Amino acid sequence: GYPMTPGGASGAVLAAGGGSAAAVAARVALETAACNNEAADECAARATALNAWAAAVEVLVSRRIDGAGNTLKLVDMVLHACLDVLLDSSRRTEVDNDLAGSLLRVASVTMATLSAARAQSKRAASGAAAGVAAVDGRVAALSRHSPSELAAVAAGALPKLLQVMSDAAGSASSGAGSVGALCRLYASVLHTLDCAGDEAAACAAVRAAPQQALARLARDALASSEALQELALRALDACLAADAGGTTVEQVLSAGVIRGLLHGVAGAGGRAAVAALTHASAVSLRPACLLEAQLSLLLRIAISRWPASAEALLRAGALRSLAACEALGAAAGNVGSGVGGVGLEAAHAAAAAARGV
């Protein structure tokens, strides 16, 4: 037989053909196929490893696996490792979308569990005084840590999450820039801010957030995808809540998001929410949830400490838009009798704040 040179089977074909054009073409085809197979194998191996990593994180945050009680430290290390790889990969010319998606899944699962653990830890602290024991075993390992310890881990991860968001906004090829990846990213930011609570580090991180990150968040608050829009609205609301000084509000207002929000509330968004709330056959309550998120953000803007926020709402026609919203005051027949329209209290509060009441 023919000796197997570094070219493998392609070398044998070339030797048989005596260097003819057909043999060269065959060699190129075989080498291309070999490269493709190698790349496919590498992608499959990476996907398997990342899925195993994500599963390991889920186990890690739900079970105490070490006798020394360092569960939170291990979670913190894994979380920052994921974010570092995300930041590194987002700055490359060729971005692996599967890699970004898997890492964002790890980040979102971790932050959601940290947030749940902090809530349970706070309940356990208050329940201990009343003689009530915590029962949620899914976050048992982490909830043994104090709320302040959990909040510190979340606040420490927030700057990197915001930087990932900035990279996604600045690069069209970023693996974190797809709709699915952005949903996970915004969910991670939302859970992180929820877990961080009133930590000063969280406020500082939001104030120091890259301009591109906040601009992307404001732009996605008007996205065509309802799932992405709702998560962006809630993440933006949480950012404004964390920044009590009002700097973030000013940056958001400069993005022109208020007029878009009011247009959705007064127009098709309000009508879709009415249909979702009043028709028993409604397939989804997402339009109502989306409207609630829009009203909540408008209220957050209205009550912010930035002096011009209420004035900006008035100039944009907030009172007229709220009055035109068909969902306000509509009976929520499929939710329960006696339940008022979605976001009614929030809308009234926003209107009062806009009037300066």
Side-chain angles (χ1 to χ4, degrees):
Y2 297 101
M4 298 304 288
T5 63
S10 60
V13 172
L14 181 60
S20 66
V24 172
R27 183 187 66 183
V28 171
L30 287 171
E31 288 180 347
T32 301
C35 289
N36 289 339
N37 289 338
E38 183 180 356
D41 290 342
E42 182 181 348
C43 288
R46 185 189 296 118
T48 301
L50 286 170
N51 287 333
W53 194 4
V57 170
E58 293 182 35
V59 172
L60 178 63
V61 298
S62 61
R63 298 288 186 273
R64 180 186 288 274
I65 62 173
D66 58 317
N70 289 327
T71 306
L72 186 60
K73 183 178 180 180
L74 291 171
V75 170
D76 190 35
M77 290 172 59
V78 170
L79 178 61
H80 280 276
C82 289
L83 295 176
D84 287 339
V85 175
L86 264 173
L87 287 171
D88 179 61
S89 65
S90 67
R91 296 183 174 119
R92 296 178 184 175
T93 304
E94 295 183 2
V95 178
D96 188 330
N97 291 330
D98 291 335
L99 174 66
S102 296
L103 291 172
L104 284 170
R105 173 174 173 253
V106 173
S108 61
V109 167
T110 303
M111 297 317 307
T113 310
L114 281 172
S115 179
R118 181 174 182 269
Q120 179 164 311
S121 181
K122 293 177 69 176
R123 287 196 302 269
S126 60
V132 179
V135 295
D136 190 353
R138 294 173 298 173
V139 293
L142 287 176
S143 61
R144 293 188 179 97
H145 295 277
S146 70
S148 60
E149 289 177 313
L150 295 164
V153 170
L158 184 58
K160 290 183 180 179
L161 276 170
L162 293 173
Q163 186 59 54
V164 172
M165 192 188 303
S166 177
D167 289 350
S171 174
S173 63
S174 172
S178 66
V179 171
L182 281 170
C183 284
R184 283 178 173 167
L185 177 57
Y186 292 161
S188 299
V189 171
L190 183 59
H191 288 306
T192 302
L193 287 167
D194 180 58
C195 184
D198 55 359
E199 284 282 305
C203 177
V206 172
R207 289 186 182 183
Q211 180 73 30
Q212 283 183 318
L214 296 175
R216 178 60 187 257
L217 197 56
R219 186 165 70 251
D220 286 340
L222 306 175
S224 57
S225 165
E226 289 186 343
L228 178 61
Q229 185 181 3
E230 183 182 348
L231 282 169
L233 285 165
R234 296 192 186 282
L236 190 54
D237 192 352
C239 285
L240 300 188
D243 179 15
T247 307
T248 308
V249 177
E250 185 174 0
Q251 295 183 53
V252 170
L253 293 181
S254 67
V257 69
I258 288 182
R259 291 189 183 280
L261 287 174
L262 292 174
H263 178 75
V265 166
R271 292 191 292 274
V274 169
L277 286 170
T278 58
H279 296 162
S281 59
V283 176
S284 171
L285 286 175
R286 183 175 293 281
C289 294
L290 180 59
L291 178 63
E292 188 274 332
Q294 291 170 327
L295 292 171
S296 179
L297 180 56
L298 287 170
L299 174 59
R300 183 74 62 189
I301 294 171
I303 64 176
S304 70
R305 296 182 185 178
W306 189 51
S309 58
E311 181 183 347
L313 284 170
L314 283 173
R315 286 201 309 268
L319 298 179
R320 182 174 62 254
S321 296
L322 291 173
C325 181
E326 297 182 18
L328 298 181
N334 65 328
V335 177
S337 59
V339 180
V342 60
L344 186 57
E345 293 181 1
H348 287 165
R355 289 195 302 268
V357 175

